[in-house]
Amino acid sequence: MAIPGLAAMMIRECGFLSKLESYNGLCSTGLQSDVIIEIGEMSFHLHKFPLLSRSEVLENLIGEHSSEDEKRCVLQLHDVPGGAKTFLLAAKFCYGIKMELTALNVVSLRCAAEYLGMSEDYGEENLITQTENFLNEVFGSWTDSLKALETCEEVPLLAEELHIVSRCINSLAMKACADPSLFSWPLQGGSDIRNPDGTVFWNGIRTSAKPHPVGEDWWYEDVSFLRLPLYKRLILEVGSNGMNPGKVAGALMYYAKRHLPLLGRKSSMESGNYAASRSTISATSEADQRSLLEEIVELLPDQKGVTPSNFLLRLLRTAMIIHASPSCRENLEKRVGTQLDQASLQDLLIPNSGYSVETLYDIDCVQRILDHFMLIYRDDPTSNYVEHEGQITESSHSLIPITMVANLIDSYLAEVASDVNLKLAKFQSLAAAVPDYARPIDDGIYRAIDIYLKAHPWLTDSEREQLCRLMNCQKFSLEASTHAAQNERLPLRVIVQVLFFEQLRLRTSVSGWFFVSENLDNSQNLSGNLALARNDLHPQAGAIHGRIMVDDMKERVSELEKECLSMKQEIEKLGKTKVSSWNILLRKFGFSRSKSKYGDPEASKPTDTKELPTTSAPLINGGENQNNESVE
């Protein structure tokens, strides 16, 4: 028996062979189709009466075309929401054929019902009502709401007009902000709930007594598949609902790592091929990645410390590679600058991706970040330090932010100092941006300067002395002082200062020890006399203990004198090529009484040690003694 109408169309177009029995009862009359509806490349051969009874739009169109041709009406509905696939479901509904509503088809079907005018005026429980009721059920489930939101991209205009997009986003935002342990909606796939052994039950019931813990990031992966416009609206909605900024930042970080290929990679300098990093962009349009990165930067919370500094620096590196807008890069630099103390050296090594590459790493970028940090830190009333006469008084922490940044910048300078293209002015500018009081010890800046001097042997004596003014010889450790005293790359004046301060430190230590020793002797004698007056304790116990302490201090003084003698011998070896200069040097420290070879009568006079601090001032950051005459 021939099967005309809708059933024949389904056989020809869609192959729904399993539904033939239910269609035979409907189309067994053998009536020839009198309406042809064309959608795209597909043609639907239908009957007028089932369509007229359910759709206002189809009733009007059929009425207009029937007056022209009584036998067959041909309609073109190329702009029906959801296309031919959705219209097929609407036609089945008109014929009274049972169909299945799902989260994947309800949005397009709701829009098609609105487009066709399938309201209650054309029959009770019409398609608009049924799809609306099903949507309310969809909004109760996390997974179904997410599926429905994704399908809104197929019918964007009507989905917005009918507020389906906003209702989906509100449903997802409410569930993301709530405590998942208090509700029963499916999370991360819903039906994919497993017991500890990995068995999946058909009804989703878990037999384990203890439920699996759900972390705060349970929704990150699910929403990361959304396209940027919808994802942006969802993030703004969860933020307005009061979600913790840290969770919002975590979701954005997850989304960025999924959709920005360069973000998850190591530095191109580490991989050894910058061109390879550029070729990675070909998988996704550079313009699309640039737009995505700029949107993510705008969505990041403004609160300090919410977004990790290493992630911000990776965003900045990627922004430079794909040539993001200057405002975007400036925004990232300011964000990093506010929390520079949380950054690491590895993340701060940003490859120079400019058109005119001079240095291996982008020194100017780090300079701007540091300048912003110093500007914010000086204006921050909550910073936990008090600057008084060039010193730091710490309130509670041993490593305050300014000190951590100083250590970071010193390490960065040591890393970039070996670049032969690094200009002296840039090195000095970056080093001088950190105030002297931020460095409790100057070993780090000394190491950076020494590496720079080694990589730039063509510097003049004047430039070397100018560079050495960045460090304070008084704040060298014993190891740094020993190294500097034998360092041929340093100017002679700096070596003199190092030796002077070490001698001054030695004298101060020795004087302090003798003072303590004398006090110990007096206190032991006093305590011994008091003890004899009070009881029968051994009268010589205190004196013996004090004598042991004195002997121990004398031994330490002797060791220091040996170290000083060894340092003197090294200096004498080093000075073989600079005899006259070293004679002046040794005479000033009392190591030699020989006359100057230059015949200077003033130079041959004995040096008064009380005047040494005036004539041998430390070279620190443009201090008050920088204008004094050189020892040479």
Side-chain angles (χ1 to χ4, degrees):
M1 180 178 63
I3 305 176
L6 180 63
M9 178 273 299
M10 287 186 175
I11 295 174
R12 182 173 63 254
E13 302 292 350
C14 303
F16 291 150
L17 299 178
S18 62
K19 302 295 184 180
L20 286 180
E21 294 181 0
S22 61
Y23 303 151
N24 286 341
L26 175 66
C27 303
S28 58
T29 58
L31 295 177
Q32 185 179 5
S33 63
D34 52 6
V35 176
I36 299 175
I37 297 180
E38 298 177 351
I39 300 176
E41 298 180 354
M42 296 188 64
S43 298
F44 295 88
H45 298 262
L46 305 174
H47 303 87
K48 293 181 180 180
F49 179 74
L51 304 180
L52 294 175
S53 63
R54 285 293 187 179
S55 171
E56 178 184 4
V57 172
L58 291 178
E59 180 188 24
N60 295 334
L61 291 175
I62 290 173
E64 294 175 0
H65 289 77
S66 296
S67 60
E68 300 175 1
D69 186 358
E70 294 293 338
K71 295 183 178 181
R72 178 168 295 187
C73 175
V74 179
L75 303 177
Q76 294 183 345
L77 300 178
H78 299 300
D79 55 349
V80 63
K85 181 179 179 181
T86 301
F87 180 79
L88 174 61
L89 296 176
K92 287 172 64 177
F93 179 82
C94 293
Y95 274 86
I97 301 174
K98 184 179 180 180
M99 63 175 182
E100 181 182 5
L101 286 175
T102 66
L104 294 176
N105 63 25
V106 66
V107 174
S108 59
L109 199 55
R110 171 66 181 87
C111 294
E114 187 73 22
Y115 175 85
L116 295 173
M118 301 176 71
S119 63
E120 293 297 295
D121 296 336
Y122 287 79
E124 295 182 358
E125 296 293 324
N126 208 346
L127 190 56
I128 290 178
T129 301
Q130 292 199 23
T131 51
E132 274 294 334
N133 292 337
F134 189 79
L135 275 173
N136 292 330
E137 297 179 8
V138 166
F139 296 146
S141 166
W142 166 268
T143 306
D144 290 343
S145 297
L146 193 59
K147 291 178 181 178
L149 181 60
E150 289 177 316
T151 59
C152 287
E153 296 181 346
E154 301 173 2
V155 285
L157 297 180
L158 263 178
E160 287 287 355
E161 184 178 336
L162 299 174
H163 306 290
I164 300 176
V165 176
S166 59
R167 285 186 287 170
C168 286
I169 289 176
N170 290 337
S171 171
L172 293 172
M174 181 193 69
K175 294 174 176 60
C177 294
D179 185 354
S181 63
L182 302 178
F183 300 90
S184 58
W185 54 65
L187 304 179
Q188 293 186 344
S191 61
D192 196 18
I193 302 175
R194 299 177 179 271
N195 69 350
D197 297 329
T199 305
V200 180
F201 295 93
W202 67 271
N203 57 358
I205 298 177
R206 183 186 294 113
T207 59
S208 174
K210 294 182 179 180
H212 286 187
V214 179
E216 296 180 348
D217 59 346
W218 62 268
W219 56 282
Y220 291 178
E221 182 177 3
D222 289 348
V223 301
S224 65
F225 293 95
L226 293 174
R227 294 178 65 85
L228 181 60
L230 293 179
Y231 183 83
K232 179 179 179 180
R233 292 178 60 176
L234 176 61
I235 290 297
L236 293 174
E237 185 66 24
V238 297
S240 63
N241 284 359
M243 175 171 282
N244 188 314
K247 296 181 183 179
V248 177
L252 289 167
M253 290 167 60
Y254 194 98
Y255 190 84
K257 291 174 183 177
R258 176 179 289 277
H259 296 281
L260 291 174
L262 288 177
L263 193 63
R265 286 174 163 250
K266 294 183 179 180
S267 169
S268 58
M269 296 303 172
E270 296 176 22
S271 61
N273 190 351
Y274 179 73
S277 297
R278 292 287 303 171
S279 63
T280 309
I281 308 176
S282 60
T284 307
S285 169
E286 181 174 330
D288 292 340
Q289 289 201 47
R290 183 163 52 246
S291 174
L292 173 61
L293 188 143
E294 292 172 356
E295 290 286 355
I296 289 175
V297 171
E298 290 296 327
L299 290 172
L300 286 172
D302 294 330
Q303 291 85 344
K304 176 183 176 181
V306 170
T307 308
S309 295
N310 61 346
F311 176 74
L312 292 174
L313 285 166
R314 278 187 287 167
L315 274 180
L316 180 57
R317 180 189 297 128
T318 306
M320 292 179 174
I321 293 175
I322 63 179
H323 304 296
S325 65
S327 60
C328 175
R329 285 178 283 178
E330 182 181 0
N331 189 347
L332 285 170
E333 289 174 359
K334 289 183 177 180
R335 288 176 181 269
V336 176
T338 59
Q339 53 191 52
L340 183 57
D341 54 298
Q342 303 174 14
S344 65
L345 173 62
Q346 195 61 39
D347 295 317
L348 208 59
L349 296 173
I350 302 174
N352 200 335
S353 57
Y355 293 105
S356 57
V357 178
E358 294 182 357
T359 57
L360 189 64
Y361 297 107
D362 197 332
I363 313 295
D364 295 332
C365 175
V366 178
Q367 178 76 63
R368 291 191 296 269
I369 292 174
L370 178 59
D371 291 341
H372 189 72
F373 171 83
M374 295 306 304
L375 180 63
I376 295 297
Y377 198 76
R378 285 167 180 160
D379 297 338
D380 185 6
T382 63
S383 58
N384 55 343
Y385 79 94
V386 178
E387 182 187 353
H388 179 66
E389 295 182 358
Q391 301 296 326
I392 291 181
T393 303
E394 299 181 22
S395 59
S396 59
H397 302 287
S398 59
L399 287 178
I400 59 177
I402 187 68
T403 303
M404 298 172 68
V405 169
N407 294 336
L408 177 63
I409 295 300
D410 289 347
S411 300
Y412 180 83
L413 287 170
E415 190 70 27
V416 303
S418 57
D419 191 343
V420 295
N421 294 323
L422 178 57
K423 304 298 183 183
L424 177 62
K426 283 190 176 182
F427 185 93
Q428 285 181 297
S429 177
L430 187 58
V434 178
D436 180 67
Y437 62 79
R439 296 185 175 103
I441 299 177
D442 272 19
D443 288 14
I445 187 63
Y446 166 65
R447 176 173 173 266
I449 290 174
D450 185 44
I451 296 174
Y452 188 85
L453 291 174
K454 184 177 181 180
H456 302 76
W458 54 83
L459 293 178
T460 64
D461 292 341
S462 175
E463 290 174 332
R464 287 189 295 129
E465 288 197 5
Q466 183 182 2
L467 184 61
C468 290
R469 289 193 179 95
L470 296 169
M471 59 187 182
N472 187 348
C473 302
Q474 296 185 73
K475 296 195 293 184
F476 281 2
S477 66
L478 180 60
E479 293 78 10
S481 297
T482 305
H483 185 277
Q486 306 175 55
N487 193 345
E488 297 181 354
R489 289 184 289 271
L490 296 178
L492 181 60
R493 182 183 180 189
V494 176
I495 298 176
V496 170
Q497 291 186 2
V498 171
L499 292 172
F500 168 73
F501 288 122
E502 278 305 304
Q503 187 184 42
L504 185 61
R505 185 185 304 175
L506 176 62
R507 290 179 178 178
T508 304
S509 300
V510 171
S511 300
W513 285 336
F514 277 117
F515 176 77
V516 172
S517 174
E518 183 179 355
N519 288 343
L520 282 174
D521 286 338
N522 295 335
S523 63
Q524 292 297 339
N525 292 334
L526 179 60
S527 62
N529 294 334
L530 292 175
L532 287 173
R534 286 197 303 259
N535 50 45
D536 295 330
L537 294 176
H538 296 287
Q540 297 180 352
I544 293 174
H545 183 268
R547 181 57 57 189
I548 292 174
M549 294 290 293
V550 172
D551 292 342
D552 181 59
M553 289 188 177
K554 288 182 177 180
E555 183 179 352
R556 294 175 64 183
V557 170
S558 178
E559 292 177 358
L560 286 173
E561 289 177 348
K562 292 179 181 179
E563 291 180 4
C564 186
L565 179 61
S566 176
M567 187 183 298
K568 173 185 173 183
Q569 293 173 352
E570 292 294 335
I571 293 172
E572 290 176 349
K573 294 179 182 178
L574 184 64
K576 289 181 179 180
T577 58
K578 303 177 181 179
V579 178
S580 60
S581 299
W582 284 115
N583 284 336
I584 298 174
L585 169 65
L586 297 176
R587 185 173 64 255
K588 285 186 177 292
F589 286 96
F591 295 148
S592 175
R593 298 296 181 182
S594 60
K595 294 184 179 180
S596 173
K597 292 186 179 182
Y598 292 99
D600 186 2
E602 294 296 328
S604 62
K605 293 181 181 180
T607 303
D608 187 357
T609 55
K610 295 182 180 180
E611 297 179 357
L612 282 175
T614 304
T615 56
S616 301
L619 300 172
I620 53 171
N621 298 330
E624 59 182 0
N625 295 322
Q626 287 182 9
N627 295 325
N628 294 337
E629 292 297 329
S630 172
V631 175
E632 298 177 279

